């Protein structure tokens, strides 16, 4: 975690608003731009260099760049996403190709980056509406050379595995127990989000910085104590316009 030095990001296209309006969800694009800029500022403050992939109006959800690729030790696995998102990967993979070996999925496999949760020694993969068994298997093959074990976790109460659980570092997982069965995780130290704070599990730890979502006071108290004990800098970010699109903190970058 401490060796990360780059974040890939992609600013929201104008079509992000139009797409959600068709689903009767109103996005305030000015606020979305401001929230996204605040997020990028927090990544910079955490010491990351920002590589921005140009926005693409054809892909309304492309701000959620995490779903397009899984990056590990000089290699990048191109994912296969929901039909309305297929194609978002092209520009990201073109960028990654300059520095990484690119690996592709077999034809029947589906996988979203939001379902991939790395801990110290195990990678958990959500079996969700977005990631199937072949996708989980392809991830296992991809991480095989790095000798990482891949453990599957059923996800049926939220979009992605990382909607329900994220890695806080220091051998600690943050979980919303109402969203995922915690018994799948082979981890001793688990912190739980507060009841009813369904967006709170999605945090992003970068070195000595921890990004968390505003508006979850019960979970924030737990995270504040975790951070204070380890001398972490907390960044509490309001991301309402991305929560409306079922996105959150991890979705908005690929940290590598
Ligand atoms: N709206 C986020 C996604 O569909 O992946």
């Amino acid at each position: 975690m401490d060796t990360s030095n780059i974040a890939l990001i992609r600013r929201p296209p104008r079509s992000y608003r139009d797409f959600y309006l068709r689903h009767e969800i109103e996005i305030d694009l000015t606020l979305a731009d401001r929230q996204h800029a605040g997020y990028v500022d927090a990544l910079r403050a955490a010491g990351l260099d920002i590589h921005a992939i140009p926005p693409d109006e054809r892909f309304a959800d492309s701000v959620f760049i995490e779903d397009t690729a899984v990056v590990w030790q000089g290699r990048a696995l191109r994912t296969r996403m929901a039909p309305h998102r297929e194609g978002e990967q092209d520009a990201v993979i073109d960028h990654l190709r300059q520095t990484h070996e690119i690996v592709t999925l077999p034809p029947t496999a589906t996988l979203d980056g939001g379902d991939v949760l790395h801990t110290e020694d195990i990678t958990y993969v959500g079996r969700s509406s977005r990631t199937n068994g072949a996708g989980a298997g392809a991830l296992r093959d991809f991480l095989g050379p790095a000798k990482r074990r891949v453990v599957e976790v059923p996800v049926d109460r939220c979009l992605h595995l990382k909607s329900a659980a994220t890695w806080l570092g220091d051998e600690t997982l943050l979980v919303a127990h109402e969203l995922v069965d915690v018994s799948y995780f082979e981890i001793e130290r688990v912190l739980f989000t507060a009841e009813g704070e369904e967006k709170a599990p999605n945090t992003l730890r970068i070195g000595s910085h921890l990004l968390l979502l505003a508006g979850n006071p019960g979970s924030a108290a737990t995270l504040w104590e975790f951070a204070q004990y380890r001398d972490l800098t907390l960044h509490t970010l309001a991301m309402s316009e991305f929560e409306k699109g079922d996105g959150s903190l991890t979705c908005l970058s690929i940290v590598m």
Side-chain angles (χ1 to χ4, degrees):
M1 181 175 302
D2 287 331
T3 56
S4 302
N5 52 20
I6 292 170
L8 294 189
I9 59 103
R10 202 167 196 184
R11 297 196 171 85
R14 305 305 84 185
S15 57
Y16 180 57
R17 178 174 191 280
D18 307 331
F19 177 81
Y20 283 97
L21 211 46
R22 291 200 287 278
H23 298 86
E24 297 180 2
I25 296 169
E26 187 129 5
I27 306 280
D28 178 339
L29 266 185
T30 307
L31 182 55
D33 288 340
R34 200 178 323 135
Q35 290 178 344
H36 195 267
Y39 174 78
V40 172
D41 284 346
L43 297 180
R44 277 205 190 89
L48 299 176
D49 283 340
I50 305 299
H51 291 194
I53 306 297
D56 187 330
E57 293 300 329
R58 292 174 299 162
F59 300 114
D61 265 340
S62 52
V63 67
F64 302 123
I65 189 172
E66 170 184 59
D67 292 316
T68 62
V70 179
V71 178
W72 194 264
Q73 292 179 347
R75 298 163 73 237
L77 180 63
R78 180 190 169 112
T79 61
R80 183 170 297 111
M81 300 188 292
H84 80 280
R85 302 194 56 186
E86 269 300 296
E88 284 180 29
Q89 305 97 323
D90 293 346
V92 179
I93 294 296
D94 281 350
H95 183 88
L96 286 169
R97 201 185 299 286
Q98 300 167 40
T99 46
H100 290 69
E101 177 196 342
I102 306 300
V103 179
T104 52
L105 292 175
T108 58
T110 64
L111 176 72
D112 267 8
D115 277 320
V116 180
L117 167 57
H118 301 296
T119 66
E120 226 113 89
D121 50 359
I122 297 177
T123 295
Y124 295 90
V125 58
R127 284 290 304 278
S128 69
S129 61
R130 296 291 178 85
T131 298
N132 64 15
L139 181 71
R140 188 171 285 116
D141 292 345
F142 173 71
L143 293 173
K147 307 259 182 287
R148 283 186 71 79
R149 201 149 67 82
V150 173
V151 172
E152 297 182 27
V153 180
V155 173
D156 53 19
R157 283 171 265 163
C158 51
L159 181 62
H160 289 129
L161 176 59
K162 279 188 286 194
S163 313
T166 49
W167 183 236
L168 290 172
D170 295 291
E171 298 169 11
T172 309
L173 187 74
L174 180 67
V175 180
H177 65 81
E178 63 264 50
L179 296 181
V180 71
D181 182 348
V182 73
S183 68
Y184 283 91
F185 297 103
E186 300 171 29
I187 291 166
E188 274 178 33
R189 200 179 306 157
V190 177
L191 296 181
F192 292 103
T193 53
E195 202 73 35
E197 294 185 354
E198 291 210 343
K199 299 291 182 187
N202 193 270
T203 63
L204 182 56
R205 170 86 186 262
I206 303 159
S208 61
H209 295 251
L210 180 62
L211 280 58
L212 64 149
L213 279 179
N216 301 294
S219 308
T222 303
L223 292 169
W224 185 83
E225 194 180 324
F226 175 85
Q228 196 189 37
Y229 186 70
R230 293 162 181 84
D231 207 16
L232 304 182
T233 303
L234 280 181
H235 302 261
T236 306
L237 300 175
M239 303 302 284
S240 59
E241 303 317 290
F242 301 103
E243 290 177 34
K244 290 176 186 173
D246 221 344
S248 193
L249 298 166
T250 60
C251 319
L252 294 171
S253 59
I254 296 174
V255 175
M256 54 189 196

